[in-house]
Amino acid sequence: MTSFAEAYPEAQLWASPGLADRRPDIRFAGTLDDTPHPDWAPVRDQLVTQGNLFFSEVVFYHGGSKTLMVADLVENITDETIRSCLGRHVAKAMQIFGRPLPSPEFRMYTFDADAAGARLDEIGAWDFHRILMAHGAVITEDAHGVLRDVRDFLTAEVAVRSA
C-alpha cells in the first residue's frame, strides 16, 4: 500500500476496520463500514464481514457489472493463477488449491460462525454474477453457489474448531 500511495499521491487509501491501528505508518482517508462513501454510493454497495477476531474485510458490490469484489473472503487458486510447483504445494497444504475458499488467515481468525454466516447471507442476497478477488481467478459461473459453499465451509470449520 505504501508503494501504491507513493506512485499515486492523489489517490485516497481507505482502511477496513482495525487496519489503521495496525498500520499507523500509512495515511488513510478514513475507515470503511457498512455505509458506502457518498462518492461511490450511487454505483457500489459494501458490507463489513463479521465474526473475525483479527481483521474485518469490506466486501463490495458493483450493481452495474453485477460483480462482488473481495480480498481474502474468497481465494480461487488454480494452475492458471499459480505457476510455481512450490506455490501449488503450499496452496494444496493450505486447502486453497482448486476450490474457492476463504484464505487460511481469514479462516484462522474467524471465531463466530453465526455472525460470519449471517453476514455472508446478507452478501449473498446481492444480485451478483461474478466474484472478483485479490487472489485467484475471477469466478464467472455459479457465483452465488460458490459464495454459499464458502459460507458453508467457513461456518462448519469454525463450528468444529469451537466445539
Side-chain angles (χ1 to χ4, degrees), residues 24 44 64 79 81 107 114 120 133 141 149 152-153:
R44 194 171 296 134
D79 283 324
T81 62
R107 290 165 33 205
D114 293 336
L120 288 174
M133 67 215 63
E141 294 187 28
D149 290 348
D152 292 348
F153 182 93

Side-chain angles (χ1 to χ4, degrees), residues 70-111:
V70 303
D72 294 317
L73 177 61
V74 182
E75 292 185 347
N76 189 25
I77 309 301
T78 65
D79 283 324
E80 291 76 35
T81 62
I82 193 164
R83 300 283 182 203
S84 78
C85 184
L86 176 61
R88 277 194 295 282
H89 285 298
V90 170
K92 287 176 183 176
M94 304 288 271
Q95 296 180 318
I96 57 169
F97 186 85
R99 176 181 181 191
L101 288 175
S103 73
E105 301 84 1
F106 192 91
R107 290 165 33 205
M108 177 176 26
Y109 291 112
T110 299
F111 70 97

Side-chain angles (χ1 to χ4, degrees), residues 34 46-51 113-124 151:
D34 288 340
Q46 67 194 53
L47 286 172
V48 179
T49 59
Q50 299 293 313
D114 293 336
R119 182 47 54 106
L120 288 174
D121 288 343
E122 288 181 69
I123 292 166
R151 179 210 184 280

